Amino acid sequence: MIAIAIDGPAGAGKSSVARKVAAKLGYIYVDTGALYRTIGYAVLHGGKDPKDAEAVVNLLPSLKVELAFAEGEQQVLLNGENVSDRIRTPEVSMAASEVSAMPPVREFLFSLQQNMAKTHDVIMDGRDIGTKVLPWAQVKIFLTASPEERARRRYEELVAKGQDVRYEDVLEDMKQRDYNDSHRAVAPLKPAEDAVIVDTTGNTFEQSVELLTNLIKERL
Ligand code: C5P
């Protein structure tokens, strides 16, 4: 099995670039952020506070999270229901960032992620894929870009989906999430020792796709 780990901060272009590269190479693209988002969504939907670790942990046994693939597109099911679209809101982003700092939440999602890579050739993106989930990945990439560029990309994505957001708020959220993700005690966001660091500031989408495809081909 081939496993490519792509980690990096929010908005670095991981998901769009990784999805395209996976399609080119014929691998399955697994977006692990969607799993944490699903827990964040379930917590908000259940009327609980995502900062309340006890409430979050108590909710976990009632949740069944599954991944499905339709024409190569990942879908995430929460108790049998497709929540893929509902997890893409700023509120769910922030809730995901909160719950992902809780060790029981990370444990809850751990084997689902590992099993995907045991049964398929994957490009998996997240925060701790190269360091924790797939330490054996043949290629590890840490994809980053400046916070302003990442916020601009995320802002344009949300506006394109018809969401009413302000750039300043997206940038603020991005910085808050960066801080949460890199300062937490469990699985903090950091490059694996053997990761290649790729900064995509100033790159077009196509340039980043090309760069990563070549890098992966060279290293396999
Ligand atoms: O990648 P995305 O922005 O969708 O991830 C949402 C949140 O889930 C991140 O801010 C991060 O806190 C968390 N996450 C994580 N580990 C992963 C993927 C995402 O902690 N492997």
Side-chain angles (χ1 to χ4, degrees):
M1 287 290 133
I2 292 176
I4 315 287
I6 304 190
D7 291 299
K14 293 188 307 287
S15 39
S16 48
V17 173
R19 177 181 290 117
K20 182 78 186 191
V21 174
K24 283 177 82 161
L25 298 174
Y27 305 157
I28 283 191
Y29 163 61
V30 183
D31 165 12
T32 64
L35 301 172
Y36 292 93
R37 284 170 180 272
T38 299
I39 306 295
Y41 169 81
V43 169
L44 294 176
H45 195 65
K48 310 278 185 229
D49 176 1
K51 286 192 169 75
D52 182 348
E54 203 183 319
V56 172
V57 171
N58 285 339
L59 192 68
L60 291 176
S62 67
L63 307 181
K64 187 170 169 215
V65 179
E66 296 163 288
L67 288 176
F69 292 87
E71 292 167 15
E73 271 303 294
Q74 169 183 304
Q75 299 186 328
V76 50
L77 308 182
L78 173 63
N79 296 335
E81 205 179 333
N82 186 351
V83 293
S84 310
D85 292 332
R86 274 177 266 164
I87 59 175
R88 304 284 159 198
T89 67
E91 291 72 31
V92 173
S93 296
M94 204 48 84
S97 181
E98 299 288 352
V99 301
S100 68
M102 300 168 187
V105 170
R106 305 203 72 85
E107 272 159 41
F108 182 77
L109 297 172
F110 195 73
S111 43
L112 171 60
Q113 298 170 80
Q114 280 205 333
N115 288 340
M116 283 308 301
K118 285 181 185 152
T119 47
H120 304 85
D121 291 335
V122 293
I123 293 194
M124 191 174 287
D125 97 31
R127 302 293 189 285
D128 61 338
I129 309 306
T131 51
K132 293 273 184 330
V133 179
L134 308 177
W136 65 83
Q138 288 92 336
V139 185
K140 299 179 185 176
I141 296 168
F142 192 84
L143 202 67
T144 186
S146 71
E148 290 72 21
E149 173 128 349
R150 292 188 283 113
R152 187 184 53 73
R153 291 177 188 164
R154 186 51 61 90
Y155 169 76
E156 285 169 3
E157 228 173 80
L158 292 169
V159 169
K161 281 189 197 151
Q163 295 193 22
D164 183 20
V165 285
R166 290 173 56 226
Y167 169 79
E168 291 71 26
D169 294 338
V170 178
L171 178 62
E172 202 42 53
D173 273 16
M174 191 70 83
K175 288 184 173 166
Q176 182 65 48
R177 279 214 285 154
D178 282 358
Y179 185 87
N180 289 352
D181 291 355
S182 50
H183 287 78
R184 65 190 180 201
V186 279
L189 171 67
K190 63 164 197 271
E193 279 178 15
D194 47 351
V196 188
I197 299 181
V198 177
D199 188 326
T200 66
T201 310
N203 279 10
T204 63
F205 170 69
E206 288 75 21
Q207 283 168 333
S208 297
V209 169
E210 174 100 5
L211 193 82
L212 255 65
T213 310
N214 292 339
L215 200 146
I216 292 168
K217 282 185 182 160
E218 271 164 28
R219 279 163 193 265
L220 278 182

